[in-house]
Amino acid sequence: MPQLTKVIYTGRTHTSAGGRDGKVRSDDGRLNIALSSPGSSGGGTNPEQLFAAGWSACFIGAMNIAAQKMQITLPADLSVNAEVDLGTTGTGTGTGTGYGLAARLNVSLPGLDRETAETVVQTAHGTCPYSLATRGNIDVTITVV
């Protein structure tokens, strides 16, 4: 596992008791939200939505870096739709049921030819910290749409 040689940023949050039905806030106050379990009637977001938001934003940053290295300009209206599934695996320790994640990133790069778009996406997937953290740990599908 690669070790960090320089820390660029540390995100710090505090989540209250209640976990998925609690509250989370960042140390700088920029994030202050209620959490709700997926499928519940609560008014908050959930960890899977937060993970999808973080990964898709980071992936766009990684695509920008890839495009700079390739000396191409990405379309202004590019987008990433991220889907993160929470499910059971049946392989938990002690309880008999474990939980896991799966994810899909659907990347839109309008105006780029398919080959260039695929190269940008694969390069980004090779450098995005979220992609690297999930590689080999969860099922991930990335599609250029």
Side-chain angles (χ1 to χ4, degrees):
M1 162 177 46
Q3 298 295 310
L4 296 180
T5 56
K6 177 183 176 185
V7 174
I8 298 170
Y9 174 76
T10 300
R12 292 181 178 87
T13 62
H14 172 79
T15 303
S16 65
R20 287 180 171 273
D21 294 305
K23 293 183 185 266
V24 64
R25 65 178 168 77
S26 61
D27 65 336
D28 62 6
R30 291 182 178 181
L31 178 71
N32 189 359
I33 57 173
L35 298 173
S36 298
S37 293
S40 74
S41 60
T45 187
N46 60 63
E48 291 70 33
Q49 289 171 329
L50 293 169
F51 187 62
W55 193 353
S56 59
C58 185
F59 200 84
I60 287 174
M63 288 193 304
N64 283 320
I65 292 169
Q68 286 175 341
K69 289 181 181 176
M70 294 170 64
Q71 298 182 341
I72 62 169
T73 301
L74 293 181
D77 56 346
L78 71 85
S79 63
V80 175
N81 290 333
E83 301 172 351
V84 175
D85 300 324
L86 169 67
T88 57
T89 64
T91 60
T93 50
T95 63
T97 301
Y99 296 91
L101 300 173
R104 290 167 302 288
L105 300 180
N106 296 302
V107 181
S108 175
L109 294 164
L112 286 187
D113 65 85
R114 185 92 175 153
E115 183 179 337
T116 302
E118 293 281 354
T119 300
V120 168
V121 166
Q122 289 309 310
T123 302
H125 189 49
T127 60
C128 173
Y130 283 76
S131 293
L132 296 174
T134 58
R135 184 162 291 122
N137 295 309
I138 69 171
D139 183 28
V140 175
T141 303
I142 300 180
T143 306
V144 175
V145 294

